[in-house]
Structure formats: C-alpha cells, structure tokens
Amino acid sequence: MAVPLVVGIDGSEASLEAVDWAADEAVRHEVPLHLMHAAAADYEAPDLVAVASERARKGAPTVRLSSEVLHEDAASALVGKGRNAFALVLGSRGLGDLAGLLLGSVSLAVAAHADCPVVVVRGGVEHRADRFGNVVVGVEDGQGSGTAVQFAFREAHVRRCRLVAVHAWSVPVGTPGPPGLSGYALQALQRPPAQVLADALRDPAQQYQDVPASSEVVESSARRALLDAASGADLLVVGARRRHGHAGLQLGLVNHAVLHHAPCPITVVPQI
C-alpha cells in the first residue's frame, strides 16, 4: 500500500491552500491523501475536516482520501505521522499564530523535526499553481544536498518541467590568498563551485534523463541566491542535515530564512 501524502489542517485559509496544493501533488505522484487535524481540544474539528475534505475532493476527485482528528499537540502529532508519510504538507501560518508572523510555529517545528520531506505552502496563487515551469534546488558542498537533489529531480519529472540547481559561494572576509587572486579563483583552489554542482547532479540526471536541468553558480549569500531563484519557481527544495547527538534536523540559518521568506512553496528534505 502506498504511503500517504499528509496535510495538516486547522481551519485557517493557509491550511486550506495547503489542501489545494497537496491534492494536486497527490494526483501527480498517484498517492493517497490524508487530512489530519490535531489539537489538545477542539469541538469544531469535525466541521474543519468536512470543509477540508470537500475542498480536496473538488480538487482531486480521483484521489483516495482519508482523514483523522487527534487530541494532542499538533507539531508532535504531525512529526509522528511523518514517520510513515510520503511527505507532510503545511500552511505557512495557522489560526493561533500572531499577526505579522511570516511562518507559523507549528510549521517551523515540524520542518525541524520530521523524518520525511516537509512542504510549507507559501506564495501567491501564481506560485502555487505551477505557472512558472521551474523547480529550484539549493546545492551545498558536501553530503547535505544529495537527497534534496534527488527529490527535486523527481518533482520536475512528475511536473514535466525544468530543474534549476543553484549553488552559492562566497569567500569569507579576511581569507588570505595570493596577491591578485580573484575570489572565484581563491574558492576554486579548495573546490571549484561548478564542480560542486556537477557532482551533485550527475547521478540523478542519469536517472531522470527527461528532465531539462540547468546549473547556476552564484557569488552571493545562499539565502539571497535561493530567494532570488525562487521568485520564478513553482517549488523551492532545500536539504537539511541530521544533528549529531540530537533528535531532529539541523535547519541552519539559510533554511530558516527561506522558510520565512520564500515566495513559493518550499520543501525541506532530510538527508538520508
């Protein structure tokens, strides 16, 4: 039996937008869709589930749909459900979050601790409705991006769209180097930025040969490079490393920034 795509609902408009996005995603991947509402006590839960279910059926009438209500902390319940989920899909803000917050506390907590990919549905309708034809993935040096790149290629494959891999680099201020050596050349003495991208894309590009892929090496902060690229994307994908000696993931400053500010839906993919 296929593991389900799980979407958290709380009655907010953001969570209903997440239901819309998740319904389309379930169709693309041919997986069941599971609606989940969790709260310590909520007498309106059946009504919330009914509204979300009707919305999901309207958007994806052929998808196998299920739902449940759990009387426990929302973040803990979603993280637990994510242990056997295709992905978790959440709205950017919930009913209980303070006005002015860019990302809800539940979404941030789930993104930091889930074992499966977590999608936070952000942005206007043009970014949520696949109008750009691009999936953007952030690539870092080392092993932290491998699973994210694989996920991004699969998304581009099922969407029949283009993949854009972005690697940002910068030389720290005060880094010593030979006189007259440019920043790029200094970085290349360690590991050429273009090689970082080439190595990351090689294997998944062979697996998904139908996906047109391009690479962008950007001399900038990773935060700025990813947010700029995401302005023309249907989905932004980033990786997250496991924390040594602790449960959960190491989201890091860059992932925090893009989770709060991305103009499109963003997926955080745990490193395997």
Side-chain angles (χ1 to χ4, degrees):
M1 181 180 295
V3 294
L5 180 66
V6 177
V7 55
I9 57 173
D10 62 4
S12 66
E13 182 59 29
S15 79
L16 292 177
E17 290 171 354
V19 170
D20 293 339
W21 191 95
D24 290 339
E25 184 77 347
V27 171
R28 280 190 284 263
H29 289 280
E30 300 180 340
V31 296
L33 180 63
H34 185 73
L35 309 181
M36 185 172 133
H37 174 71
D42 190 345
Y43 298 107
E44 297 181 350
D47 294 334
L48 298 181
V49 171
V51 170
S53 297
E54 181 180 357
R55 190 135 167 179
R57 289 192 184 96
K58 182 178 179 180
T62 62
V63 167
R64 194 173 77 215
L65 183 66
S66 59
S67 63
E68 70 177 314
V69 175
L70 298 178
H71 298 289
E72 58 182 282
D73 173 72
S76 299
L78 285 162
V79 169
K81 201 71 177 178
R83 296 190 182 101
N84 189 35
F86 180 83
L88 293 170
V89 181
L90 306 168
S92 58
R93 287 186 54 208
L95 287 174
D97 295 308
L98 298 174
L101 284 181
L102 297 173
L103 180 68
S105 56
V106 171
S107 296
L108 185 60
V110 173
H113 295 97
D115 293 325
C116 68
V118 175
V119 183
V120 176
V121 179
R122 299 184 54 85
V125 64
E126 69 278 7
H127 284 95
R128 302 195 309 270
D130 303 325
R131 294 182 181 176
F132 292 92
N134 286 322
V135 170
V136 171
V137 59
V139 177
E140 61 178 341
D141 200 357
Q143 302 299 315
S145 302
T147 311
V149 172
Q150 187 77 17
F151 180 95
F153 262 96
R154 184 176 62 179
E155 282 294 321
H157 168 71
V158 297
R159 293 163 181 264
R160 299 180 181 179
C161 74
R162 180 169 171 255
L163 178 92
V164 180
V166 177
H167 174 61
W169 66 275
S170 59
V171 177
V173 176
T175 300
L181 195 63
S182 69
Y184 185 93
L186 182 59
Q187 182 78 357
L189 289 175
Q190 304 171 22
R191 178 171 159 88
Q195 190 64 48
V196 172
L197 276 170
D199 291 345
L201 300 185
R202 184 177 298 109
D203 290 343
Q206 284 294 317
Q207 181 178 354
Y208 296 101
Q209 296 186 25
D210 62 317
V211 174
S214 63
S215 302
E216 294 184 5
V217 175
V218 184
E219 185 177 2
S220 174
S221 69
R223 172 186 180 276
R224 176 46 49 201
L226 291 174
L227 291 177
D228 286 349
S231 64
D234 301 314
L235 181 67
L236 172 63
V237 181
V238 295
R241 301 181 181 184
R242 298 289 175 186
R243 296 189 294 182
H244 297 296
H246 299 277
L249 306 173
Q250 184 65 52
L251 285 180
L253 295 177
V254 173
N255 284 359
H256 271 277
V258 295
L259 279 167
H260 280 86
H261 298 284
C264 66
I266 174 172
T267 304
V268 177
V269 181
Q271 175 188 350
I272 295 178

